[in-house]
PDB file of all heavy atoms in Angstrom:
ATOM      1  N   LEU R   4       1.808  43.900  -4.830  1.00 50.00           N
ATOM      2  CA  LEU R   4       2.357  42.667  -5.314  1.00 50.00           C
ATOM      3  C   LEU R   4       1.277  41.946  -6.083  1.00 50.00           C
ATOM      4  O   LEU R   4       0.196  41.749  -5.603  1.00 50.00           O
ATOM      5  CB  LEU R   4       2.810  41.839  -4.097  1.00 50.00           C
ATOM      6  CG  LEU R   4       3.707  40.627  -4.293  1.00 50.00           C
ATOM      7  CD1 LEU R   4       5.028  41.044  -4.874  1.00 50.00           C
ATOM      8  CD2 LEU R   4       3.955  39.960  -2.954  1.00 50.00           C
ATOM      9  N   GLY R  23      12.435  32.211   1.851  1.00 44.00           N
ATOM     10  CA  GLY R  23      11.374  31.972   2.802  1.00 44.00           C
ATOM     11  C   GLY R  23      11.854  31.896   4.225  1.00 44.00           C
ATOM     12  O   GLY R  23      11.215  32.394   5.152  1.00 44.00           O
ATOM     13  N   ILE R  26      12.377  35.384   5.331  1.00 45.00           N
ATOM     14  CA  ILE R  26      11.089  36.043   5.527  1.00 45.00           C
ATOM     15  C   ILE R  26      10.408  35.539   6.779  1.00 45.00           C
ATOM     16  O   ILE R  26       9.928  36.309   7.592  1.00 45.00           O
ATOM     17  CB  ILE R  26      10.165  35.863   4.296  1.00 45.00           C
ATOM     18  CG1 ILE R  26      10.742  36.622   3.088  1.00 45.00           C
ATOM     19  CG2 ILE R  26       8.749  36.347   4.605  1.00 45.00           C
ATOM     20  CD1 ILE R  26      10.049  36.316   1.791  1.00 45.00           C
ATOM     21  N   ALA R  27      10.397  34.256   6.957  1.00 45.00           N
ATOM     22  CA  ALA R  27       9.715  33.650   8.112  1.00 45.00           C
ATOM     23  C   ALA R  27      10.312  34.088   9.440  1.00 45.00           C
ATOM     24  O   ALA R  27       9.621  34.237  10.402  1.00 45.00           O
ATOM     25  CB  ALA R  27       9.765  32.116   7.998  1.00 45.00           C
ATOM     26  N   ASN R  28      11.632  34.325   9.445  1.00 46.00           N
ATOM     27  CA  ASN R  28      12.280  34.714  10.661  1.00 46.00           C
ATOM     28  C   ASN R  28      12.535  36.219  10.752  1.00 46.00           C
ATOM     29  O   ASN R  28      13.209  36.680  11.671  1.00 46.00           O
ATOM     30  CB  ASN R  28      13.636  33.979  10.757  1.00 46.00           C
ATOM     31  CG  ASN R  28      13.440  32.502  10.961  1.00 46.00           C
ATOM     32  OD1 ASN R  28      12.533  32.107  11.670  1.00 46.00           O
ATOM     33  ND2 ASN R  28      14.253  31.725  10.274  1.00 46.00           N
ATOM     34  N   ASP R  29      11.983  36.966   9.822  1.00 51.00           N
ATOM     35  CA  ASP R  29      12.192  38.384   9.763  1.00 51.00           C
ATOM     36  C   ASP R  29      11.321  39.070  10.803  1.00 51.00           C
ATOM     37  O   ASP R  29      10.189  38.688  11.034  1.00 51.00           O
ATOM     38  CB  ASP R  29      11.809  38.904   8.370  1.00 51.00           C
ATOM     39  CG  ASP R  29      12.637  40.080   7.956  1.00 51.00           C
ATOM     40  OD1 ASP R  29      13.445  40.548   8.762  1.00 51.00           O
ATOM     41  OD2 ASP R  29      12.449  40.555   6.821  1.00 51.00           O
ATOM     42  N   ASP R  48       6.046  48.290   5.493  1.00 94.00           N
ATOM     43  CA  ASP R  48       4.899  48.020   4.640  1.00 94.00           C
ATOM     44  C   ASP R  48       5.270  46.946   3.608  1.00 94.00           C
ATOM     45  O   ASP R  48       4.451  46.064   3.299  1.00 94.00           O
ATOM     46  CB  ASP R  48       4.444  49.283   3.894  1.00 94.00           C
ATOM     47  CG  ASP R  48       3.713  50.245   4.820  1.00 94.00           C
ATOM     48  OD1 ASP R  48       3.294  49.828   5.885  1.00 94.00           O
ATOM     49  OD2 ASP R  48       3.569  51.396   4.420  1.00 94.00           O
ATOM     50  N   THR R  49       6.473  46.967   3.077  1.00 94.00           N
ATOM     51  CA  THR R  49       6.922  45.935   2.164  1.00 94.00           C
ATOM     52  C   THR R  49       6.953  44.583   2.848  1.00 94.00           C
ATOM     53  O   THR R  49       6.495  43.571   2.292  1.00 94.00           O
ATOM     54  CB  THR R  49       8.319  46.277   1.595  1.00 94.00           C
ATOM     55  OG1 THR R  49       8.227  47.542   0.907  1.00 94.00           O
ATOM     56  CG2 THR R  49       8.832  45.249   0.629  1.00 94.00           C
ATOM     57  N   TRP R  50       7.459  44.566   4.058  1.00 95.00           N
ATOM     58  CA  TRP R  50       7.519  43.294   4.817  1.00 95.00           C
ATOM     59  C   TRP R  50       6.131  42.776   5.052  1.00 95.00           C
ATOM     60  O   TRP R  50       5.843  41.589   4.849  1.00 95.00           O
ATOM     61  CB  TRP R  50       8.211  43.548   6.146  1.00 95.00           C
ATOM     62  CG  TRP R  50       8.393  42.318   6.951  1.00 95.00           C
ATOM     63  CD1 TRP R  50       9.441  41.457   6.940  1.00 95.00           C
ATOM     64  CD2 TRP R  50       7.471  41.824   7.954  1.00 95.00           C
ATOM     65  NE1 TRP R  50       9.228  40.442   7.843  1.00 95.00           N
ATOM     66  CE2 TRP R  50       8.048  40.627   8.491  1.00 95.00           C
ATOM     67  CE3 TRP R  50       6.259  42.239   8.470  1.00 95.00           C
ATOM     68  CZ2 TRP R  50       7.448  39.894   9.493  1.00 95.00           C
ATOM     69  CZ3 TRP R  50       5.645  41.482   9.448  1.00 95.00           C
ATOM     70  CH2 TRP R  50       6.225  40.348   9.927  1.00 95.00           C
ATOM     71  N   ILE R  51       5.210  43.621   5.455  1.00 96.00           N
ATOM     72  CA  ILE R  51       3.823  43.226   5.704  1.00 96.00           C
ATOM     73  C   ILE R  51       3.169  42.680   4.421  1.00 96.00           C
ATOM     74  O   ILE R  51       2.559  41.607   4.410  1.00 96.00           O
ATOM     75  CB  ILE R  51       2.978  44.393   6.297  1.00 96.00           C
ATOM     76  CG1 ILE R  51       3.427  44.703   7.691  1.00 96.00           C
ATOM     77  CG2 ILE R  51       1.484  44.072   6.226  1.00 96.00           C
ATOM     78  CD1 ILE R  51       2.873  46.022   8.246  1.00 96.00           C
ATOM     79  N   THR R  52       3.322  43.412   3.279  1.00 96.00           N
ATOM     80  CA  THR R  52       2.754  42.974   2.027  1.00 96.00           C
ATOM     81  C   THR R  52       3.288  41.591   1.662  1.00 96.00           C
ATOM     82  O   THR R  52       2.513  40.708   1.235  1.00 96.00           O
ATOM     83  CB  THR R  52       3.072  43.985   0.897  1.00 96.00           C
ATOM     84  OG1 THR R  52       2.457  45.209   1.200  1.00 96.00           O
ATOM     85  CG2 THR R  52       2.582  43.490  -0.434  1.00 96.00           C
ATOM     86  N   THR R  53       4.570  41.380   1.771  1.00 95.00           N
ATOM     87  CA  THR R  53       5.163  40.096   1.435  1.00 95.00           C
ATOM     88  C   THR R  53       4.633  38.994   2.339  1.00 95.00           C
ATOM     89  O   THR R  53       4.297  37.910   1.870  1.00 95.00           O
ATOM     90  CB  THR R  53       6.701  40.156   1.575  1.00 95.00           C
ATOM     91  OG1 THR R  53       7.191  41.207   0.689  1.00 95.00           O
ATOM     92  CG2 THR R  53       7.361  38.868   1.194  1.00 95.00           C
ATOM     93  N   LYS R  54       4.530  39.239   3.601  1.00 95.00           N
ATOM     94  CA  LYS R  54       4.037  38.237   4.578  1.00 95.00           C
ATOM     95  C   LYS R  54       2.569  37.914   4.274  1.00 95.00           C
ATOM     96  O   LYS R  54       2.167  36.735   4.306  1.00 95.00           O
ATOM     97  CB  LYS R  54       4.196  38.676   6.032  1.00 95.00           C
ATOM     98  CG  LYS R  54       5.591  38.658   6.525  1.00 95.00           C
ATOM     99  CD  LYS R  54       6.100  37.250   6.707  1.00 95.00           C
ATOM    100  CE  LYS R  54       5.615  36.667   7.976  1.00 95.00           C
ATOM    101  NZ  LYS R  54       6.202  35.374   8.309  1.00 95.00           N
ATOM    102  N   VAL R  55       1.766  38.929   3.992  1.00 96.00           N
ATOM    103  CA  VAL R  55       0.319  38.685   3.693  1.00 96.00           C
ATOM    104  C   VAL R  55       0.208  37.887   2.432  1.00 96.00           C
ATOM    105  O   VAL R  55      -0.509  36.856   2.353  1.00 96.00           O
ATOM    106  CB  VAL R  55      -0.463  39.996   3.599  1.00 96.00           C
ATOM    107  CG1 VAL R  55      -1.882  39.746   3.046  1.00 96.00           C
ATOM    108  CG2 VAL R  55      -0.546  40.694   4.954  1.00 96.00           C
ATOM    109  N   LYS R  56       0.898  38.279   1.367  1.00 96.00           N
ATOM    110  CA  LYS R  56       0.827  37.592   0.072  1.00 96.00           C
ATOM    111  C   LYS R  56       1.287  36.144   0.183  1.00 96.00           C
ATOM    112  O   LYS R  56       0.652  35.217  -0.325  1.00 96.00           O
ATOM    113  CB  LYS R  56       1.579  38.338  -1.007  1.00 96.00           C
ATOM    114  CG  LYS R  56       1.387  37.800  -2.407  1.00 96.00           C
ATOM    115  CD  LYS R  56      -0.053  37.988  -2.865  1.00 96.00           C
ATOM    116  CE  LYS R  56      -0.253  37.443  -4.253  1.00 96.00           C
ATOM    117  NZ  LYS R  56      -1.628  37.633  -4.733  1.00 96.00           N
ATOM    118  N   THR R  57       2.425  35.942   0.902  1.00 95.00           N
ATOM    119  CA  THR R  57       2.947  34.605   1.079  1.00 95.00           C
ATOM    120  C   THR R  57       1.963  33.741   1.863  1.00 95.00           C
ATOM    121  O   THR R  57       1.727  32.567   1.519  1.00 95.00           O
ATOM    122  CB  THR R  57       4.287  34.679   1.824  1.00 95.00           C
ATOM    123  OG1 THR R  57       5.195  35.478   1.093  1.00 95.00           O
ATOM    124  CG2 THR R  57       4.890  33.292   2.026  1.00 95.00           C
ATOM    125  N   SER R  58       1.341  34.297   2.865  1.00 95.00           N
ATOM    126  CA  SER R  58       0.400  33.576   3.686  1.00 95.00           C
ATOM    127  C   SER R  58      -0.885  33.198   2.885  1.00 95.00           C
ATOM    128  O   SER R  58      -1.430  32.139   3.005  1.00 95.00           O
ATOM    129  CB  SER R  58       0.016  34.358   4.920  1.00 95.00           C
ATOM    130  OG  SER R  58       1.133  34.524   5.775  1.00 95.00           O
ATOM    131  N   LEU R  59      -1.315  34.152   2.031  1.00 95.00           N
ATOM    132  CA  LEU R  59      -2.481  33.855   1.182  1.00 95.00           C
ATOM    133  C   LEU R  59      -2.160  32.768   0.164  1.00 95.00           C
ATOM    134  O   LEU R  59      -2.996  31.889  -0.086  1.00 95.00           O
ATOM    135  CB  LEU R  59      -2.913  35.116   0.445  1.00 95.00           C
ATOM    136  CG  LEU R  59      -3.534  36.219   1.305  1.00 95.00           C
ATOM    137  CD1 LEU R  59      -3.749  37.497   0.458  1.00 95.00           C
ATOM    138  CD2 LEU R  59      -4.810  35.774   1.987  1.00 95.00           C
ATOM    139  N   LEU R  60      -0.967  32.807  -0.407  1.00 94.00           N
ATOM    140  CA  LEU R  60      -0.578  31.760  -1.347  1.00 94.00           C
ATOM    141  C   LEU R  60      -0.443  30.403  -0.711  1.00 94.00           C
ATOM    142  O   LEU R  60      -0.707  29.384  -1.319  1.00 94.00           O
ATOM    143  CB  LEU R  60       0.780  32.113  -2.021  1.00 94.00           C
ATOM    144  CG  LEU R  60       0.713  33.256  -3.047  1.00 94.00           C
ATOM    145  CD1 LEU R  60       2.113  33.719  -3.418  1.00 94.00           C
ATOM    146  CD2 LEU R  60      -0.058  32.817  -4.311  1.00 94.00           C
ATOM    147  N   VAL R  72      -2.491  42.599  -2.917  1.00 97.00           N
ATOM    148  CA  VAL R  72      -2.244  43.073  -1.567  1.00 97.00           C
ATOM    149  C   VAL R  72      -1.464  44.379  -1.645  1.00 97.00           C
ATOM    150  O   VAL R  72      -0.466  44.477  -2.361  1.00 97.00           O
ATOM    151  CB  VAL R  72      -1.418  42.049  -0.773  1.00 97.00           C
ATOM    152  CG1 VAL R  72      -1.138  42.532   0.653  1.00 97.00           C
ATOM    153  CG2 VAL R  72      -2.107  40.680  -0.720  1.00 97.00           C
ATOM    154  N   ILE R  97      -6.458  36.100   7.684  1.00 96.00           N
ATOM    155  CA  ILE R  97      -5.017  35.879   7.466  1.00 96.00           C
ATOM    156  C   ILE R  97      -4.279  37.199   7.521  1.00 96.00           C
ATOM    157  O   ILE R  97      -3.240  37.333   8.218  1.00 96.00           O
ATOM    158  CB  ILE R  97      -4.778  35.166   6.137  1.00 96.00           C
ATOM    159  CG1 ILE R  97      -5.236  33.692   6.233  1.00 96.00           C
ATOM    160  CG2 ILE R  97      -3.284  35.245   5.702  1.00 96.00           C
ATOM    161  CD1 ILE R  97      -5.291  32.973   4.904  1.00 96.00           C
ATOM    162  N   ILE R 101      -1.171  39.071  10.643  1.00 94.00           N
ATOM    163  CA  ILE R 101       0.252  39.388  10.387  1.00 94.00           C
ATOM    164  C   ILE R 101       0.695  40.509  11.315  1.00 94.00           C
ATOM    165  O   ILE R 101       0.033  41.546  11.419  1.00 94.00           O
ATOM    166  CB  ILE R 101       0.461  39.756   8.917  1.00 94.00           C
ATOM    167  CG1 ILE R 101      -0.009  38.648   7.967  1.00 94.00           C
ATOM    168  CG2 ILE R 101       1.888  40.165   8.657  1.00 94.00           C
ATOM    169  CD1 ILE R 101       0.716  37.314   8.120  1.00 94.00           C
ATOM    170  N   GLU R 102       1.849  40.301  11.924  1.00 92.00           N
ATOM    171  CA  GLU R 102       2.400  41.329  12.821  1.00 92.00           C
ATOM    172  C   GLU R 102       2.628  42.632  12.072  1.00 92.00           C
ATOM    173  O   GLU R 102       3.097  42.641  10.937  1.00 92.00           O
ATOM    174  CB  GLU R 102       3.749  40.853  13.408  1.00 92.00           C
ATOM    175  CG  GLU R 102       4.318  41.797  14.422  1.00 92.00           C
ATOM    176  CD  GLU R 102       5.591  41.264  15.038  1.00 92.00           C
ATOM    177  OE1 GLU R 102       5.960  40.127  14.782  1.00 92.00           O
ATOM    178  OE2 GLU R 102       6.187  42.006  15.812  1.00 92.00           O
TER     179      GLU R 102
END
Side-chain angles (χ1 to χ4, degrees):
L4 194 62
I26 291 170
N28 293 320
D29 211 358
D48 287 344
T49 300
W50 184 88
I51 290 169
T52 297
T53 302
K54 286 291 280 188
V55 170
K56 189 64 180 182
T57 302
S58 297
L59 291 173
L60 286 168
V72 179
I97 288 169
I101 301 300
E102 185 176 354

